[in-house]
Amino acid sequence: MTHHTIGDLSGRVVLVTGAARGLGLNHVRRMSEAGATVVATDLHEAEVAAATVDIANVRAAALDIRDTDAVRSHIEGIVATEGRLDVVVNNAGGAVGYTGGETDPVAIFRAVVELNLVATYGVCLAAAPHLAPGGRLILTSSSTTFRHSFDVPVSYVAAKTGVIGLTRALARDLGERGIAVNAVAPGFTPHDAMRGRVQSERVDAMTEVAVRDQAIKRSGTPDDISSAVLFLAGPGADFITGQVLLVDGGWTFH
Ligand SMILES: NC(=O)c1ccc[n+]([C@@H]2O[C@H](COP(=O)([O-])OP(=O)(O)OC[C@H]3O[C@@H](n4cnc5c(N)ncnc54)[C@H](O)[C@@H]3O)[C@@H](O)[C@H]2O)c1
């Protein structure tokens, strides 16, 4: 009987989207430590290159996941250069559209669904035919899809709930080829880049509110989310598919 080493990604080629900061950047670091070759992508190459400069076996590149043609040729390029593609970590996402003076709620809704759901679908669709046997697609939902929370925008909840449907449907369609498709659903997970964007005191206040309602009485960390991603990406998880793994310290039970 063969025993798998959970989290061993040696020889694997991994694409991470939205990798210049926050959870995505942490995923890159942890995947690299696990032995993978990582293609770290974000909107601007300079940013993702600077952020990943001290991480081994990483290639930084620009990739706007909303640009379907760019996504397709980028993935073909990875296979041509690295010889294979094993795992795609669809991390890019968020509640966008509020800072550019956008006030039309439907336009905001469209932008948020476009980024979190439509563009993620585009990446999965482009990657699927190129994935090596035993390949994995990992999507990023959110605990806010499972539990009421006042200050989370409707568009974000709707888009991230769509990600769960997308995960299940892709798992069904790709299972025959041995490809597993799962999502992680982080709870509130503060990180350095968030403190750069949102006032630090506000992040502290949000953390306090989250921790109060969690079963585990500490703040979530990027490593908590990356550990789940690493598990789903690694050997030993190839019989798990169509699942959503909540990583929220028990903020939600379902
Ligand atoms: N941090 C949390 O509390 C939390 C909780 C639940 C879910 N999530 C989800 O986890 C993921 C990462 O969260 P985060 O807090 O690190 O976010 P973040 O906003 O700090 O980082 C997101 C990254 O995605 C990139 N990005 C944005 N649009 C892109 C595009 N069109 N193409 C490529 N890259 C793009 C950004 O440049 C940024 O580097 C997101 O999908 C988010 O919705 C985060």
Side-chain angles (χ1 to χ4, degrees):
M1 191 175 168
T2 319
H3 291 283
H4 304 291
T5 308
I6 289 173
D8 178 11
L9 293 181
S10 19
R12 307 279 180 208
V13 176
V14 180
L15 167 64
V16 182
T17 67
R21 67 182 191 218
L23 305 187
L25 176 57
N26 204 66
H27 297 337
V28 172
R29 190 179 301 282
R30 293 284 303 276
M31 295 271 166
S32 162
E33 285 168 7
T37 297
V38 188
V39 182
T41 62
D42 208 293
L43 291 172
H44 307 291
E45 185 179 337
E47 282 176 25
V48 69
T52 58
V53 71
D54 63 335
I55 309 177
N57 300 321
V58 173
R59 190 157 57 76
L63 184 63
D64 182 338
I65 62 164
R66 295 165 301 183
D67 183 342
T68 314
D69 291 339
V71 165
R72 206 179 299 118
S73 59
H74 190 88
I75 286 171
E76 285 166 6
I78 293 173
V79 177
T81 313
E82 310 296 340
R84 58 189 294 141
L85 177 61
D86 298 281
V87 179
V88 179
V89 182
N90 290 281
N91 166 79
V96 294
Y98 298 88
T99 49
E102 187 61 75
T103 50
D104 173 6
V106 177
I108 291 171
F109 190 96
R110 199 171 276 128
V112 174
V113 170
E114 172 70 24
L115 173 61
N116 290 277
L117 184 57
V118 181
T120 297
Y121 173 59
V123 174
C124 293
L125 192 69
H130 298 287
L131 284 174
R136 312 288 162 80
L137 295 175
I138 298 166
L139 285 72
T140 305
S141 181
S142 165
S143 63
T144 56
T145 63
F146 291 101
R147 197 187 139 167
H148 169 87
S149 178
F150 280 109
D151 52 3
V152 180
V154 167
S155 54
Y156 184 74
V157 177
K160 290 298 194 184
T161 305
V163 167
I164 296 174
L166 178 61
T167 301
R168 292 174 179 163
L170 288 172
R172 180 203 62 197
D173 285 1
L174 301 175
E176 211 158 325
R177 291 186 40 226
I179 294 166
V181 188
N182 295 288
V184 287
F188 181 65
T189 314
H191 52 73
D192 292 348
M194 193 184 281
R195 288 185 185 279
R197 281 198 317 288
V198 184
Q199 278 180 323
S200 214
E201 304 79 62
R202 175 130 191 274
V203 175
D204 289 339
M206 289 160 83
T207 306
E208 204 181 305
V209 169
V211 171
R212 196 174 57 213
D213 280 2
Q214 290 167 199
I216 308 277
K217 298 295 180 191
R218 67 158 174 85
S219 172
T221 67
D223 264 340
D224 293 322
I225 314 307
S226 299
S227 295
V229 170
L230 213 55
F231 167 65
L232 291 172
D238 62 344
F239 200 54
I240 298 173
T241 196
Q243 301 303 306
V244 184
L245 184 47
L246 270 161
V247 186
D248 68 351
W251 189 71
T252 317
F253 291 141
H254 75 110

